[in-house]
Amino acid sequence: MSTTTTASPATTQTPDGWPDTALRTAFWAYERALMSDDVPALDALFAPGAETLRSDADATTVGHAHIAAFRAGRGGAPARHLLRVHVRDLGDHALVVAENERIAGGTGVQTQVWQRGGRGWQVIAAHVSGAPETPRVTDPAALTDPTIWRVAPGTKPLAEGTPGGPLAGASVAVKDLFAVGGHRIGAGTPAWLETAPVQPDHAGAVTLLLEAGADVIGLAHTDELAFSLAGTNSHYGTPPNAAAPGHITGGSTSGPAAAVAAGVATIGLGTDTAGSIRVPAAYCGLYGLRTTHDAVPRDGLVGLATSFDTAGLLTRDLDMLRTAARALVPPAPAALTAVAVAPALFDLADEETRLATLAAVRALDHPVHTAAIDPDALDTWFAAFRTVQQAEAWELHGDFVTAHADTLEPAVRERFRAGATTDPADVSAARRTLTDARDRLLDLLDGAALALPTTSAPAPRRDADATEIAHTRAGTLRLTCLASLAGLPQVSAPLPRVGPLPAGLGLIGPPGADLALLDLLENR
Amino acid sequence: MSTTTTASPATTQTPDGWPDTALRTAFWAYERALMSDDVPALDALFAPGAETLRSDADATTVGHAHIAAFRAGRGGAPARHLLRVHVRDLGDHALVVAENERIAGGTGVQTQVWQRGGRGWQVIAAHVSGAPETPRVTDPAALTDPTIWRVAPGTKPLAEGTPGGPLAGASVAVKDLFAVGGHRIGAGTPAWLETAPVQPDHAGAVTLLLEAGADVIGLAHTDELAFSLAGTNSHYGTPPNAAAPGHITGGSTSGPAAAVAAGVATIGLGTDTAGSIRVPAAYCGLYGLRTTHDAVPRDGLVGLATSFDTAGLLTRDLDMLRTAARALVPPAPAALTAVAVAPALFDLADEETRLATLAAVRALDHPVHTAAIDPDALDTWFAAFRTVQQAEAWELHGDFVTAHADTLEPAVRERFRAGATTDPADVSAARRTLTDARDRLLDLLDGAALALPTTSAPAPRRDADATEIAHTRAGTLRLTCLASLAGLPQVSAPLPRVGPLPAGLGLIGPPGADLALLDLLENR
């Protein structure tokens, strides 16, 4: 988990990759002082002397006294949240590059070179730049794209929200697994739709969003029977990923993710059994929330594996996610006050995703500690999860799969069939393993959120071969199965970037901490 | 002269303060590759691996491969000249902050962190930002300011340039020591003006500028009889410094400097005996050229000390200075190909000015070597220069000073009187010292320019007390006397900045190298 490449690695490195705790403390002291325009604190955190440098787009100011004079006269810096903090240990110096988004719009980058000296860590050079807001693109073609929608938005909503609610004006793309009154459920496969009845009522989760004021504008595709993380569907096509053109959206909440990423829906309502909200959130640069198991009613929902199925949400921004989540889940019992980083989980991601996710963890202003998870246990836990998931999936859909075997996508069919022959004793053993795993995870979540890469890598290309997609799926499932097997809420925040592609910072909380996870993300 | 503040100072530091020559070479290889969009060279100068960082105003790109992909697709960086290069030695790393001005307008800053490794010096992090051009302000009030002009610009020029010349459209503020046909010479003191005849002809230097197409638009003030470097005049007032409001312009070419700095004249034509072009250039953020002694005709000019008097030019930008200088001086016999840095000269400046001037030297893409000058010799040389200057000044103006002692500014009067009583033997001895000094300087100038701070500090405030002004004057004279005593050309470039104030990078060349000095400045 080291981010150090120098010859003399620091032995005091923090779990999130700072050379030492004192630098982390100094960095956040500086950031807070900047936001509160605490000029004396800022002056004290810059090294004294004539050689200290501060640059912005215009020019470089040289010397502590001139920098202090500039600072005293400017009336503060624009309010911002950090996005990613990159750190390099240079021995007696450290390089910090912090990317931010401004509250008033736009982004910024701040490069700092820190020096470890008698006065502790101080900045010897800083370079600040900012760019105006790039409006997020809305692609109107996404409103009628048949790879996104089974029932595309029309001139009026499929169901109108209660006027005056907190979600008034928001539009929901509902995954085609939820009942929307007056419509059938398609479940991602034409054979299901063929015999599906028109639903008399809305699913419970749909009703909660409508009551909060959101309109349901369409039914968006799911991967076939939701048993995939790819976002491809051999019957309806592969929806586009507006945040990563040429790449898959991930699934199984693929249609809602595509609609929200394209800006034609405000909220995606989906399900997450083994990652079906979190994976598309990471791949499409969206905020995603898998809710605590059983916190949101599952009536009117076509399930996949009852022990793990949850409803979840996708949005473009955190405020909207919070408002939508408040409509679905109860208030959190307690705040989360720390972040736990498990090296074993970060090691499941590829190098770039690992580095990017650590950079996102460092953008959170919370105490960070190490969570010890045995890497071997992850394989055991995942195997147990898969055993139970497949058994439950066969229990739910075995008859349908048997009857329509020739029309199902082969990979999906084989996943179901793997559950047909499982020895009940193996399922029982697996359930015991999952109970142990849940206990271990709950131990780690005592007042803390567990940080991890949402997926092991960013979205594969649409033309990636099956081997690559399977490899990505395998790495990702070992990460996503954790919240699933323990019934825990997990948020995915689109803070990491891998080259031009979005990725996800995952935060798993204890049961019921859904909203507390969002609060944790706010503080950065 | 060290710019190093770390515990382990480099022993291989270059004369201009790079930790070693290899880093200087790598930096310039990078800069040239950037300007020629040599993508493979740029890629090779960035450290490989997933942790290398490149930031601009928008965001940070992480990883060598992604940075290379960005670079391959962007089609080059904006063409630019460097202004200042700040360097900090961090042991196995180095921090470089390069400020630039873009050819198409605007400025930029580039922060680089370099790492010394098996592949030599490579960039591990870069941050680039740019700002659009800030139009230089023209202050129309300067057209009628009586502290700037003795004869202010009217509806038509005092003398019109030859149509179609290279200086067509340029306007000249002529120091009130030069003859402009049809006008008297004021020499900065009303008693002189009172009895001055109307000049029948233009001075030789004025004629050359007119023949090149420039218009003479007004006669601008000089310090009294040009025997001051302050830019104050007890008879006519202190002209404003548009580049450093609240600070003096320096002198004695004070009026032309104020006019050019305010944007109401393109060219200031002045004189430089002991720094009277170079000091206001540094104080007002202008380019200034003291020409080789005897290279420009001095007919029609009220002199001060015949052995040292020269004509000189002030402009806002280098291109205009070159065009104007070509009208006055012959082509340079040979190009200059290197820069010599004498630590003893930089040590005469205050710490901030020294650092800023070194930063400007590093913006020049030329080989740099050390010039050994004995600090004690500088005192000897200055004393000899002052002896000869005062003797010659008394010789020229003793009668006038005696006749008008009660109307002269006391400090100026005392400078003249100091020359009245000098023993001719002392003057002869001083002349011999100056011959030796000149020989020593010419040795140092073999194909090279000698770089030095133009002045020891930026412009004092207008309300500075006499002690501070005298202190600044003393430090500055030890620097400015060098070109004067040896009859050498010197350019002052407004590249250094001390906080909000301009300062000057001086480059002294061998006799006749006036234009070669300007070419040297171009290459950065």
Side-chain angles (χ1 to χ4, degrees):
Chain A
M1 232 190 69
S2 167
T3 59
T4 302
T5 60
T6 59
S8 53
T11 53
T12 55
Q13 198 180 53
T14 68
D16 52 342
W18 291 91
D20 63 22
T21 303
L23 178 57
R24 183 185 209 284
T25 302
F27 172 83
W28 279 107
Y30 183 83
E31 187 66 20
R32 283 184 224 119
L34 193 67
M35 290 301 95
S36 62
D37 200 28
D38 180 348
V39 172
L42 295 169
D43 289 348
L45 284 160
F46 261 53
E51 294 193 80
T52 299
L53 301 164
R54 183 204 173 272
S55 304
D56 57 24
D58 289 315
T60 297
T61 303
V62 184
H64 188 280
H66 296 295
I67 295 168
F70 157 78
R71 206 180 264 136
R74 74 168 159 177
R80 66 197 191 184
H81 286 304
L82 298 188
L83 292 168
R84 290 168 288 281
V85 180
H86 312 277
V87 179
R88 296 290 297 270
D89 184 348
L90 311 180
D92 286 332
H93 296 86
L95 167 69
V96 180
V97 177
E99 300 177 78
N100 63 69
E101 59 184 354
R102 297 185 177 176
I103 308 299
T107 56
V109 181
Q110 174 172 299
T111 293
Q112 300 167 334
V113 176
W114 292 77
Q115 180 171 272
R116 194 197 324 244
R119 293 179 186 83
W121 285 101
Q122 289 182 311
V123 174
I124 63 168
H127 185 166
V128 180
S129 63
E133 190 166 13
T134 311
R136 295 195 72 161
V137 175
T138 297
D139 177 10
L143 278 170
T144 54
D145 187 333
T147 68
I148 297 178
W149 305 99
R150 198 197 32 93
V151 178
T155 48
K156 51 179 292 208
L158 305 193
E160 288 190 40
T162 305
L167 289 175
S171 55
V172 185
V174 172
K175 190 179 189 179
D176 194 13
L177 294 176
F178 287 89
V180 172
H183 294 269
R184 295 179 290 161
I185 296 176
T189 188
W192 186 285
L193 182 65
E194 221 165 75
T195 61
V198 171
Q199 296 292 324
D201 300 310
H202 302 311
V206 171
T207 299
L208 289 172
L209 292 177
L210 290 168
E211 286 175 356
D215 294 335
V216 170
I217 61 166
L219 301 180
H221 285 304
T222 171
D223 288 19
E224 194 168 36
L225 293 171
F227 209 170
S228 164
L229 294 176
T232 58
N233 185 306
S234 60
H235 310 291
Y236 299 116
T238 299
N241 182 342
H247 294 254
I248 59 177
T249 57
S252 63
T253 311
S254 53
V260 176
V264 298
T266 323
I267 299 167
L269 174 65
T271 61
D272 187 310
T273 303
S276 286
I277 281 286
R278 291 165 286 163
V279 172
Y283 286 5
C284 297
L286 301 176
Y287 283 90
L289 175 66
R290 173 201 157 86
T291 56
T292 300
H293 192 248
D294 281 342
V296 181
R298 294 204 300 281
D299 61 282
L301 168 64
V302 174
L304 174 62
T306 313
S307 296
F308 312 122
D309 290 344
T310 61
L313 296 166
L314 294 168
T315 65
R316 271 184 168 182
D317 60 65
L318 184 57
D319 285 345
M320 178 54 66
L321 180 59
R322 185 185 290 107
T323 309
R326 282 185 181 140
L328 292 190
V329 299
L336 298 171
T337 56
V339 174
V341 169
L345 301 182
F346 282 80
D347 287 344
L348 289 174
D350 70 27
E351 174 71 355
E352 292 184 338
T353 304
R354 185 180 73 79
L355 289 169
T357 310
L358 274 178
V361 171
R362 286 189 294 263
L364 304 179
D365 185 11
H366 299 285
V368 175
H369 59 262
T370 301
I373 296 183
D374 174 10
D376 294 337
L378 294 170
D379 285 334
T380 309
W381 296 354
F382 170 60
F385 169 76
R386 190 168 49 184
T387 298
V388 175
Q389 182 195 22
Q390 287 175 337
E392 292 192 352
W394 184 257
E395 194 182 324
L396 270 183
H397 297 305
D399 291 348
F400 177 84
V401 169
T402 303
H404 302 282
D406 54 336
T407 72
L408 291 181
E409 201 172 324
V412 172
R413 184 181 63 217
E414 294 317 308
R415 265 174 224 136
F416 277 107
R417 280 185 173 163
T421 54
T422 314
D423 185 332
D426 291 347
V427 176
S428 296
R431 287 194 193 278
R432 284 192 299 275
T433 298
L434 296 187
T435 300
D436 292 345
R438 181 170 200 267
D439 288 347
R440 175 76 193 118
L441 289 171
L442 289 178
D443 278 351
L444 298 175
L445 295 169
D446 183 19
L450 180 64
L452 72 171
T454 302
T455 58
S456 61
R461 293 192 56 81
R462 291 165 70 98
D463 57 8
D465 62 29
T467 313
E468 182 187 336
I469 291 184
H471 175 79
T472 303
R473 175 184 161 84
T476 290
L477 274 168
R478 276 163 182 74
L479 294 163
T480 54
C481 78
L482 298 174
S484 297
L485 66 84
L488 302 173
Q490 181 179 340
V491 65
S492 181
L495 300 179
R497 304 282 307 179
V498 176
L501 300 178
L505 164 64
L507 291 174
I508 298 175
D514 309 54
L515 294 171
L517 289 171
L518 307 188
D519 292 341
L520 203 67
L521 275 177
E522 185 68 20
N523 202 11
R524 56 189 169 86
Chain B
M1 227 189 74
S2 165
T3 60
T4 301
T5 60
T6 59
S8 53
T11 54
T12 55
Q13 198 180 52
T14 68
D16 52 344
W18 291 91
D20 62 22
T21 304
L23 178 57
R24 183 185 210 282
T25 303
F27 172 83
W28 280 107
Y30 183 84
E31 187 66 21
R32 284 186 222 115
L34 194 66
M35 289 301 95
S36 61
D37 200 27
D38 180 349
V39 172
L42 294 170
D43 289 348
L45 285 160
F46 260 54
E51 294 192 80
T52 299
L53 302 164
R54 182 205 174 272
S55 304
D56 57 24
D58 289 314
T60 297
T61 303
V62 185
H64 187 279
H66 296 296
I67 295 167
F70 158 79
R71 206 179 263 136
R74 75 168 160 179
R80 67 195 191 187
H81 286 305
L82 297 188
L83 292 169
R84 290 168 289 281
V85 180
H86 312 276
V87 178
R88 296 290 297 270
D89 185 348
L90 311 181
D92 287 331
H93 297 85
L95 167 68
V96 180
V97 177
E99 298 176 79
N100 64 69
E101 59 184 354
R102 297 184 176 176
I103 308 299
T107 55
V109 180
Q110 175 172 299
T111 294
Q112 300 167 334
V113 176
W114 292 77
Q115 178 171 271
R116 194 198 322 246
R119 296 179 184 82
W121 285 101
Q122 289 182 310
V123 174
I124 62 167
H127 185 166
V128 181
S129 63
E133 190 166 10
T134 311
R136 293 196 74 160
V137 175
T138 297
D139 176 11
L143 279 169
T144 54
D145 187 333
T147 68
I148 297 178
W149 305 99
R150 194 193 40 88
V151 178
T155 49
K156 48 177 296 204
L158 304 193
E160 288 190 39
T162 306
L167 289 175
S171 56
V172 185
V174 173
K175 189 178 190 179
D176 195 13
L177 293 176
F178 289 90
V180 171
H183 293 269
R184 295 181 289 160
I185 296 176
T189 190
W192 185 285
L193 182 65
E194 221 166 75
T195 62
V198 171
Q199 296 292 323
D201 301 309
H202 301 312
V206 171
T207 299
L208 290 170
L209 291 177
L210 291 168
E211 286 176 354
D215 294 334
V216 170
I217 61 166
L219 300 181
H221 287 303
T222 171
D223 287 19
E224 192 168 38
L225 293 170
F227 210 170
S228 163
L229 294 175
T232 57
N233 186 305
S234 59
H235 309 289
Y236 300 116
T238 300
N241 182 343
H247 294 254
I248 59 178
T249 58
S252 63
T253 310
S254 53
V260 176
V264 299
T266 324
I267 299 167
L269 174 65
T271 60
D272 186 311
T273 303
S276 286
I277 281 287
R278 293 165 284 163
V279 171
Y283 286 3
C284 297
L286 302 174
Y287 283 89
L289 175 65
R290 172 198 158 88
T291 56
T292 300
H293 191 247
D294 280 343
V296 180
R298 293 203 300 280
D299 61 282
L301 168 63
V302 174
L304 174 61
T306 312
S307 296
F308 311 123
D309 289 343
T310 62
L313 297 166
L314 294 168
T315 65
R316 270 184 168 181
D317 60 64
L318 184 56
D319 285 347
M320 177 54 66
L321 180 60
R322 186 186 289 106
T323 309
R326 282 185 182 140
L328 291 190
V329 299
L336 298 171
T337 57
V339 174
V341 169
L345 300 181
F346 282 80
D347 288 343
L348 289 174
D350 69 28
E351 174 70 355
E352 293 185 337
T353 304
R354 185 181 74 77
L355 289 170
T357 311
L358 274 178
V361 171
R362 286 190 293 263
L364 303 179
D365 185 10
H366 300 284
V368 175
H369 59 262
T370 301
I373 296 183
D374 175 9
D376 293 338
L378 293 171
D379 285 333
T380 310
W381 297 354
F382 170 61
F385 169 76
R386 190 169 48 183
T387 298
V388 176
Q389 183 196 22
Q390 287 175 338
E392 293 191 352
W394 186 256
E395 193 180 326
L396 271 183
H397 296 305
D399 290 350
F400 176 84
V401 169
T402 304
H404 302 280
D406 54 338
T407 73
L408 290 182
E409 199 171 327
V412 171
R413 184 182 63 217
E414 293 318 308
R415 266 173 223 135
F416 277 107
R417 282 186 172 162
T421 54
T422 314
D423 185 331
D426 290 347
V427 176
S428 298
R431 288 194 193 277
R432 285 193 297 277
T433 298
L434 296 186
T435 301
D436 292 345
R438 182 171 199 267
D439 289 346
R440 176 72 194 119
L441 288 171
L442 289 178
D443 278 351
L444 298 176
L445 295 169
D446 182 18
L450 181 64
L452 72 170
T454 302
T455 58
S456 62
R461 295 191 55 81
R462 292 164 69 99
D463 56 9
D465 62 28
T467 312
E468 182 187 335
I469 291 184
H471 175 80
T472 303
R473 175 184 162 86
T476 290
L477 274 168
R478 275 162 184 74
L479 293 162
T480 54
C481 77
L482 297 173
S484 297
L485 65 86
L488 302 174
Q490 181 178 341
V491 64
S492 180
L495 300 179
R497 304 281 306 179
V498 176
L501 299 178
L505 165 64
L507 291 173
I508 298 175
D514 309 54
L515 294 171
L517 288 172
L518 306 188
D519 293 341
L520 203 67
L521 275 178
E522 183 70 19
N523 201 13
R524 57 190 167 87

